[in-house]
Amino acid sequence: MSNERLRSALLASGMTVQTLAEEISVNPKTVERWITKGKVPYRRHQYATAAALKVDVTTLWDDDRIVESAADLTKAEIVTVYPHRHTVPAGLWREMYGRARQSLDVLVYSGLFLSEDPLFHDLARAKAEAGAQVRILLGDPDCAAVRQRGIDEGHRIMDGKIRNALLHYRPLVRSHPEIGLRLHDSTLYNSIYRSDDEMLVNPHVYGIGAYMAPVLHLRRLPGGGLFDTYANSIEHTWENARPITDQDIASITGA
């Protein structure tokens, strides 16, 4: 039996099967089966679909498994988990940031791999020009938290990685001063990469570099709390971070 309620909600939203599939990160054929064959998706996909179509999940599926509780919604906000950062598909970072319309945030100590990606620079530049808020938060290379994180990872070069990232970002900030770049002295427990209502969270694990630690792909859902917990961390760190100018970058990097 087909799901006419889902078909109607899709038409009313102005979305297509293709755009919905892209929005919730599933194959378009999967969405087709939900509509034409009445297949019931996983709970996380139910909530993600309802959020994308801006309807209540119970209007799309009569599923006894749906329990509208904070715990279920929080679980549903987890799109997937990668065992290590280096196993995240190479294009996912760009795809996620490419979907940003309002907010593009980076909260890291160095995030050197991202600062070295010219396509990320192009994305940040394009999003800022389109009116999105672009904020990059790096660790203060001279603060105690940065020194300790380097020790925890088994090296003492974290400050040098940050200085290299600042060098990479210098042309971007110089050409687009509306892009926010700040230094923080916080003890970070996660590196967070946010694009509107979607983010990648890279927990910090004692004794290994961030590239070896897991990554959570999250998508905000109404009523869920996991996404907002990390989003609030970005806001708190930004408020307490120090704005950095092009002159500061020159002083810190010696360039």
Side-chain angles (χ1 to χ4, degrees):
M1 180 182 294
S2 62
N3 189 333
E4 294 305 317
R5 288 179 294 176
L6 177 55
R7 191 195 305 275
S8 297
L10 189 65
L11 290 172
S13 71
M15 300 181 75
T16 66
V17 167
Q18 181 68 37
T19 55
L20 175 60
E22 292 174 354
E23 177 72 18
I24 64 176
S25 302
V26 299
N27 191 296
K29 291 182 179 179
T30 300
V31 177
E32 284 282 5
R33 286 193 290 270
W34 297 345
I35 297 172
T36 61
K37 297 184 179 181
K39 297 291 185 180
V40 178
Y42 292 120
R43 190 178 304 172
R44 68 177 184 274
H45 290 148
Q46 293 176 5
Y47 285 116
T49 299
L53 298 178
K54 296 181 172 57
V55 298
D56 190 278
V57 67
T58 57
T59 68
L60 301 178
W61 292 281
D62 293 323
D63 186 357
D64 292 336
R65 295 174 300 169
I66 296 177
V67 180
E68 293 188 89
S69 68
D72 287 328
L73 286 168
T74 293
K75 292 176 184 177
E77 288 188 305
I78 303 174
V79 177
T80 192
V81 178
Y82 298 97
H84 311 290
R85 194 185 73 195
H86 67 81
T87 64
V88 176
L92 180 58
W93 308 87
R94 297 165 186 162
E95 292 171 9
M96 185 188 76
Y97 279 131
R99 290 190 283 268
R101 294 295 178 269
Q102 298 175 323
S103 301
L104 189 161
D105 294 320
V106 178
L107 171 57
V108 293
Y109 276 133
S110 72
L112 187 58
F113 77 100
L114 202 60
S115 75
E116 292 175 329
D117 185 351
L119 292 181
F120 171 70
H121 287 239
D122 292 341
L123 273 173
R125 189 178 296 111
K127 296 304 177 181
E129 291 173 351
Q133 175 181 258
V134 179
R135 301 182 297 185
I136 301 172
L137 279 154
L138 303 180
D140 186 328
D142 295 319
C143 77
V146 164
R147 289 193 296 273
Q148 187 59 50
R149 181 56 193 166
I151 294 172
D152 292 346
E153 288 191 0
H155 60 73
R156 297 177 183 271
I157 61 171
M158 182 61 72
D159 61 328
K161 292 169 68 175
I162 294 171
R163 296 178 200 278
N164 283 340
L166 285 168
L167 271 175
H168 296 151
Y169 284 130
R170 185 180 185 184
L172 182 65
V173 175
R174 175 179 287 173
S175 63
H176 287 73
E178 71 274 19
I179 294 178
L181 179 62
R182 294 187 180 184
L183 294 178
H184 67 85
D185 59 3
S186 305
T187 299
L188 285 189
Y189 300 101
N190 307 273
S191 296
I192 306 175
Y193 309 85
R194 178 187 179 183
S195 168
D196 291 349
D197 291 335
E198 190 175 1
M199 68 169 61
L200 296 171
V201 179
N202 185 195
H204 294 177
V205 179
Y206 183 82
I208 62 174
Y211 73 99
M212 283 295 294
V215 171
L216 287 72
H217 185 181
L218 306 180
R219 183 176 288 111
R220 174 188 270 147
L221 296 176
L226 187 59
F227 183 98
D228 286 338
T229 295
Y230 290 108
N232 290 338
S233 176
I234 297 173
E235 297 302 325
H236 180 74
T237 308
W238 180 260
E239 291 171 2
N240 292 281
R242 176 171 69 86
I244 185 169
T245 65
D246 189 52
Q247 290 73 26
D248 289 326
I249 294 177
S251 174
I252 290 172
T253 61

